[in-house]
Amino acid sequence: MPEFTSEKILKYCEAHTTPESNECRAIADETFATSDSAQMLVGPVQGMFLTLLARAIGAKRVLEIGTFTGYSALRLAEGLPDDGVVITCDVDPEVTAIARKHWQNSPHGGKIMLEIGPALDTIAKLTGRFDLVFIDADKENYVNYWEACVPMVRTGGLIIADNVLWSGRVLDPKEKSDHALVEFNSHVAADPRVDVAMLTIRDGVSVACKR
Ligand SMILES: C[S@@+](CC[C@H](N)C(=O)[O-])C[C@H]1O[C@@H](n2cnc3c(N)ncnc32)[C@H](O)[C@@H]1O
């Protein structure tokens, strides 16, 4: 995945970011050893960013869309108090088996609830307010995820969306997923329910705060 910062600067950022936990490191190691899609992990700097945001807003109830091997779910759980909960959704029972295996080694793993199935179906069954939602699954559904989640987020809560720059393809969209991200970014920027900042962290991260 192309980054928007030089390799040297990224390494410097990583070296000056609080190190990931052993359990997160183990997830990353196994993912890189076994998957061709390991670049989908948020990585150590963005991972710490998620932990910090969850902790900074005092989040107790988090929804994640797109679990994969469980790295970002554990980073979010690490930012929650002992009675916090991360509900995380994925369609793939195979990759999420890796997640389950590593979560049980973490003191924060008990906060994570995995829901297997299309995320829109899972979200439709959820009730109650969330403090933070992290959107990181199929790009064609980003606007649908947004519309399903914004009403569920409390005032002052955050909706964070990953890959919003889509390797820069948002500037010259060709594929369906490119257009989906372009539409999503315009949709969010025009939404009066939130304030949003689009950041060039990794593949682009939008952080929106519900008004
Ligand atoms: C980018 S990865 C998530 C990476 C993870 N957030 C991390 O950083 O550790 C995207 C995940 O979304 C899942 N996914 C794709 N379509 C989905 C859908 N309709 N509902 C739920 N999950 C879906 C994929 O199976 C994949 O594991």
Side-chain angles (χ1 to χ4, degrees), residues 56-85:
I57 66 162
K60 281 182 91 166
R61 209 159 173 255
V62 170
L63 172 63
E64 176 182 69
I65 305 170
T67 315
F68 191 43
T69 52
Y71 184 89
S72 54
L74 189 53
R75 297 306 305 243
L76 286 162
E78 288 171 350
L80 305 189
D82 289 345
D83 59 346
V85 176

Side-chain angles (χ1 to χ4, degrees), residues 1 27 31 37-43 46 50 64-76 88-93 95-96 115-122 134-139 141-142 145 162-163 166 202:
M1 169 167 319
I27 292 177
T31 308
S37 307
Q39 83 289 344
M40 293 205 299
L41 298 182
V42 292
Q46 192 184 342
L50 292 176
E64 176 182 69
I65 305 170
T67 315
F68 191 43
T69 52
Y71 184 89
S72 54
L74 189 53
R75 297 306 305 243
L76 286 162
T88 182
C89 317
D90 208 291
V91 279
D92 188 336
V95 287
T96 51
E115 297 286 344
I116 297 290
L120 285 171
D121 294 352
T122 300
F134 180 47
I135 303 175
D136 189 19
D138 49 323
K139 308 310 162 195
N141 267 318
Y142 262 37
Y145 294 142
D162 200 17
N163 306 109
W166 209 221
R202 226 177 125 261

Side-chain angles (χ1 to χ4, degrees), residues 32-182:
F32 276 93
T34 58
S35 169
D36 293 335
S37 307
Q39 83 289 344
M40 293 205 299
L41 298 182
V42 292
V45 176
Q46 192 184 342
M48 194 65 224
F49 186 57
L50 292 176
T51 306
L52 292 180
L53 286 179
R55 197 175 295 151
I57 66 162
K60 281 182 91 166
R61 209 159 173 255
V62 170
L63 172 63
E64 176 182 69
I65 305 170
T67 315
F68 191 43
T69 52
Y71 184 89
S72 54
L74 189 53
R75 297 306 305 243
L76 286 162
E78 288 171 350
L80 305 189
D82 289 345
D83 59 346
V85 176
V86 177
I87 298 173
T88 182
C89 317
D90 208 291
V91 279
D92 188 336
E94 242 173 71
V95 287
T96 51
I98 298 177
R100 284 187 200 276
K101 185 178 75 185
H102 289 283
W103 291 339
Q104 67 187 12
N105 298 327
S106 163
H108 303 280
K111 301 173 196 168
I112 305 173
M113 287 171 54
L114 174 62
E115 297 286 344
I116 297 290
L120 285 171
D121 294 352
T122 300
I123 296 166
K125 290 183 208 135
L126 297 174
T127 54
R129 292 266 170 217
F130 286 88
D131 301 298
L132 188 156
V133 175
F134 180 47
I135 303 175
D136 189 19
D138 49 323
K139 308 310 162 195
E140 286 79 2
N141 267 318
Y142 262 37
V143 171
N144 295 329
Y145 294 142
W146 178 264
E147 283 306 314
C149 291
V150 171
M152 301 171 81
V153 173
R154 68 156 162 93
T155 300
L158 300 178
I159 306 112
I160 305 168
D162 200 17
N163 306 109
V164 292
L165 294 174
W166 209 221
S167 304
R169 292 196 291 275
V170 286
L171 296 182
D172 183 19
K174 292 190 175 79
E175 305 291 320
K176 210 171 159 202
S177 58
D178 307 346
H179 287 285
L181 261 313
V182 169

